[in-house]
Amino acid sequence: MAINRKIQTLDEFTIQQMRNFPKATGELSGLLRDIGLAAKRVHVEVNKAGLVDILGDAGTMNVQGEEVKKLDIFANNQFMGVLRHGISCAGIGSEEMDDIVVFDDDISNQSKYVCLFDPLDGSSNIDVNVSIGTIFSVFRRVSELGKPAKSEDFLQQGNKQVAAGYVIYGSSTMLVYATRRGVNGFTLDQAIGEFTLSHPDIVCPDSGKIYSVNHGNYFQYDEPVKKYITACQQKTKTTGGPYTQRYIGSMVADVHRNLIKGGIFMYPGTTDKPKGKLRLLYECNPFAFIVEKAGGKATDGNQRILDIQPTEVHQRTPFFIGSRLMMEELESMA
Ligand code: AHM
């Protein structure tokens, strides 16, 4: 079968984008290629997840005599491995690791970027064959090149991200990433093992019909959030509701759907957990960057997510994200 040369692979796309910047060194393209490579490995394992009872449980030996790892640990190791051995990343922070890891070798100390990621978000959905994802955030280092990266490289405001993206392991596997130039989506063509450009220049519709929130926590939300949820369920002039409630419990899938179709996703603080559940640096910041670049908005209920000054790698924040007009409607409830 002849390959359709109208397709554009992830590598081709990032290199073409780089040509618009005469001073670009290709490091960011290399970083995205490395992330794409790890994502393909995770894709293969995710697709075998249903066989885990046949192949052996986590902590036991598989048929090759290797220890079977939990999928989220496997994903973490893949992303850490490609970034450590690539030439573009000086260190990483991950949901799976307590502390940042600074690679500190001659090549990595010269690398311009650090990366934060959630290797497998929504991992409680693995057992039941529901979409899960990887989320990542890329910052340019602020510490001196030639020396090991420092914590200040990771604790930058989200508005300093140079790129952010996610991979969704769903009915197909997709990698979506944003830079300051816009948001583009690539679907994994399994026949050739390449991410190919399928969703160029993604724009989040200004409004939509979907709201996504954990209704089980309703009585623990504050009054403006309850008021907005009630508005979502009613036919009013301003919201154009009632909206449809869709909540997978896998943020990558929920926000991806709302990005494409229009909608709002909320993970508010609760009386038990005032800061909610989601992590600022590797869950909320990357999505806020992507959705803002696509024309939407993201806040913690008070301020823009991207303007929050982080103080620690694993900090949590309430999170509201989605179509511009729906977010403005929510803001008017305060
Ligand atoms: P997890 O990766 O441990 O599953 O947690 C993250 C997920 C998000 O993807 C999702 O939005 C949220 O947790 C759902 O939480 P809840 O079940 O409290 O609604």
Side-chain angles (χ1 to χ4, degrees):
M1 187 180 74
I3 291 183
N4 175 3
R5 283 311 290 158
K6 279 191 196 148
I7 64 167
Q8 195 171 24
T9 66
L10 176 64
D11 286 358
E12 286 173 329
F13 181 85
T14 55
I15 290 167
Q16 195 185 68
Q17 294 282 303
M18 189 185 80
R19 286 187 179 146
N20 295 318
F21 297 96
K23 288 189 184 155
T25 58
E27 275 190 64
L28 186 59
S29 310
L31 188 69
L32 291 163
R33 187 197 50 236
D34 289 345
I35 288 172
L37 179 62
K40 284 189 246 180
R41 291 186 180 147
V42 174
H43 156 88
V44 170
E45 287 308 302
V46 167
N47 278 282
K48 288 196 302 205
L51 297 171
V52 85
D53 287 342
I54 301 169
L55 300 177
D57 291 329
T60 63
M61 298 291 167
N62 69 14
V63 284
Q64 285 91 30
E66 300 154 339
E67 195 186 343
V68 178
K69 295 243 178 357
K70 281 180 70 186
L71 209 44
D72 41 11
I73 306 294
F74 174 86
N76 189 59
N77 290 345
Q78 292 304 315
F79 285 98
M80 184 158 72
V82 291
L83 294 173
R84 183 190 284 279
H85 297 299
I87 59 163
S88 315
C89 187
I92 58 165
S94 162
E95 194 198 17
E96 294 297 331
M97 300 183 302
D98 289 343
D99 296 316
I100 56 171
V101 172
V102 172
F103 295 148
D104 193 10
D105 56 61
D106 289 347
I107 292 174
S108 303
N109 289 347
Q110 291 293 345
S111 302
K112 274 199 290 201
Y113 299 107
V114 295
C115 196
L116 290 133
F117 57 93
D118 182 352
L120 216 53
D121 181 70
S123 47
S124 58
N125 283 318
I126 296 170
D127 293 352
V128 286
N129 212 355
V130 169
S131 297
I132 47 181
T134 297
I135 313 169
F136 62 92
S137 164
V138 182
F139 286 101
R140 195 186 304 276
R141 288 173 62 181
V142 288
S143 62
E144 196 182 333
L145 277 188
K147 300 209 167 142
K150 295 184 171 166
S151 64
E152 68 212 45
D153 297 320
F154 298 86
L155 298 177
Q156 299 188 58
Q157 289 178 345
N159 56 40
K160 302 274 173 26
Q161 288 171 103
V162 292
Y166 61 87
V167 184
I168 177 165
Y169 310 98
S171 47
S172 54
T173 290
M174 262 189 91
L175 186 153
V176 176
Y177 83 90
T179 62
R180 288 178 195 281
R181 296 172 61 83
V183 187
N184 290 279
F186 302 80
T187 300
L188 182 61
D189 181 342
Q190 296 192 53
I192 57 171
E194 293 276 6
F195 282 105
T196 57
L197 182 63
S198 53
H199 295 61
D201 295 320
I202 294 174
V203 173
C204 181
D206 271 346
S207 197
K209 289 273 169 210
I210 297 168
Y211 75 105
S212 311
V213 68
N214 185 339
H215 262 282
N217 293 335
Y218 180 85
F219 291 106
Q220 292 204 46
Y221 296 147
D222 63 17
E223 286 310 316
V225 173
K226 286 185 189 162
K227 203 169 146 196
Y228 180 71
I229 292 174
T230 305
C232 289
Q233 297 165 342
Q234 289 167 348
K235 192 169 181 63
T236 66
K237 260 191 211 151
T238 39
T239 63
Y243 297 153
T244 297
Q245 149 74 0
R246 291 278 181 269
Y247 189 72
I248 297 171
S250 204
M251 182 170 60
V252 176
D254 277 315
V255 179
H256 174 72
R257 180 202 53 235
N258 293 2
L259 171 66
I260 303 291
K261 292 191 167 186
I264 189 166
F265 172 92
M266 299 175 274
Y267 205 107
T270 60
T271 37
D272 286 349
K273 293 180 182 162
K275 290 202 171 290
K277 175 181 183 185
L278 301 176
R279 314 288 184 147
L280 174 64
L281 288 187
Y282 41 79
E283 293 181 324
C284 304
N285 261 345
F287 271 119
F289 184 81
I290 296 162
V291 168
E292 280 202 9
K293 286 291 157 217
K297 295 183 86 173
T299 74
D300 68 355
N302 291 308
Q303 65 171 327
R304 197 175 161 228
I305 287 288
L306 296 180
D307 289 342
I308 299 174
Q309 176 59 55
T311 51
E312 52 128 350
V313 175
H314 298 291
Q315 79 189 63
R316 298 175 199 268
T317 178
F319 194 41
F320 304 88
I321 186 167
S323 293
R324 186 176 61 82
L325 295 175
M326 298 172 89
M327 286 293 293
E328 286 170 8
E329 179 75 23
L330 167 70
E331 284 158 17
S332 75
M333 302 287 166

